[in-house]
Amino acid sequence: MAGTITALVAQKCNKQRVNVYLDGQFAFGLAAIEAAKLRKGQYLSDEEIARLKAVDEIETAHEQALRLLSFRPRSVEEVRRRLSEGKYSEDTVRAVLERLERAGLLDDEAFARFWIESRAQFGPRSAKALRYEMRQKGVPEAVIRSALEGLDETSAAYEAARSQAQRLAQADRQTFYKRLGDFLARRGFAFGIIRETVERLWMERESDSDLHNEEE
């Protein structure tokens, strides 16, 4: 493929990339920042072309990883899996992961904290359920264990069940206990915490009902 550069043309669909032509024929695409280092009339050997392609593959993979991270934080393993699906070489994937970690954009400890805090806010889970979810995302066990230290499962169960209990405002005691208990069990909470939480919410509902009746 060695040859002389006869044209450097910005791609129509992506102005950040440039098509490199050798001896009048399209040869390969390249990030504009790398193409800026080239010039027409320059001769490229096979080794130089291979190096340019390797650099470009890293930049392309890096951009894909940044797009992925723009939606939400990710674990290192999540990004590794996604890049591997893109058929990038192992060397490219490793280089991109190291680059992201150096920049502070990939950090399993920070990701674990984010995941627990996000669940606490939008869908509280038990430590068991959180551990399972983070394992699925490839977070190391030691990181998971550290992140879960101090988790108040009693509070988490209460927060998880409180809005659900409001939907059961007209349910009888048996239905209330059954549905709320099943709801918490699906989120991995232990039997003792489930019982305590359901009883607490039932007593609160009864107390609210008694107060309402007195006001009438």
Side-chain angles (χ1 to χ4, degrees):
M1 184 183 286
T4 300
I5 299 175
T6 51
L8 297 166
V9 182
Q11 295 182 0
K12 292 182 180 179
C13 296
N14 186 352
K15 298 301 183 181
Q16 297 305 310
R17 291 189 61 77
V18 171
N19 290 333
V20 179
Y21 289 79
L22 298 179
D23 300 325
Q25 300 293 321
F26 170 76
F28 54 90
L30 199 60
I33 192 171
E34 292 298 324
K37 303 173 185 178
L38 304 178
R39 67 183 187 283
K40 287 177 63 176
Q42 179 180 352
Y43 178 81
L44 296 179
S45 66
D46 288 335
E47 292 76 12
E48 288 171 321
I49 292 171
R51 182 188 63 78
L52 287 170
K53 287 185 173 181
V55 169
D56 188 57
E57 182 175 272
I58 291 175
E59 289 302 319
T60 302
H62 184 256
E63 287 300 319
Q64 181 178 336
L66 290 177
R67 286 195 297 272
L68 189 64
L69 291 167
S70 70
F71 294 102
R72 68 163 173 81
R74 309 274 174 169
S75 69
V76 174
E77 184 59 26
E78 278 187 289
V79 177
R80 184 195 307 279
R81 290 171 185 168
R82 186 62 65 87
L83 293 180
S84 295
E85 290 172 0
K87 310 304 181 184
Y88 295 113
S89 69
E90 291 184 11
D91 288 343
T92 292
V93 173
R94 182 167 54 252
V96 170
L97 294 178
E98 290 175 355
R99 181 173 170 182
L100 292 170
E101 288 180 290
R102 286 196 303 272
L105 298 175
L106 270 186
D107 182 333
D108 277 340
E109 292 181 0
F111 171 77
R113 292 193 298 271
F114 157 80
W115 192 260
I116 293 171
E117 291 168 3
S118 178
R119 282 304 196 195
Q121 184 175 0
F122 300 109
R125 301 284 196 278
S126 66
K128 177 182 178 181
L130 290 169
R131 176 175 283 106
Y132 174 79
E133 290 177 343
M134 287 188 283
R135 280 175 175 168
Q136 291 296 104
K137 297 185 179 303
V139 180
E141 189 63 35
V143 174
I144 295 174
R145 186 165 54 250
S146 176
L148 288 174
E149 286 181 359
L151 178 69
D152 186 343
E153 289 197 85
T154 299
S155 295
Y158 179 76
E159 291 301 321
R162 187 166 55 175
S163 60
Q164 188 72 10
Q166 294 173 354
R167 300 188 182 98
L168 297 171
Q170 304 305 316
D172 58 37
R173 187 177 188 278
Q174 181 178 354
T175 301
F176 185 92
Y177 271 62
K178 176 69 168 58
R179 292 187 180 177
L180 207 54
D182 289 347
F183 174 82
L184 290 172
R186 288 194 296 272
R187 281 152 181 76
F189 291 103
F191 175 75
I193 291 177
I194 292 175
R195 181 179 60 188
E196 177 184 341
T197 302
V198 174
E199 288 178 352
R200 176 183 175 183
L201 287 165
W202 174 259
M203 293 301 294
E204 287 180 0
R205 199 189 85 166
E206 291 298 286
S207 177
D208 290 343
S209 178
D210 291 343
L211 180 62
H212 179 70
N213 290 334
E214 289 177 5
E215 290 175 348
E216 291 182 344

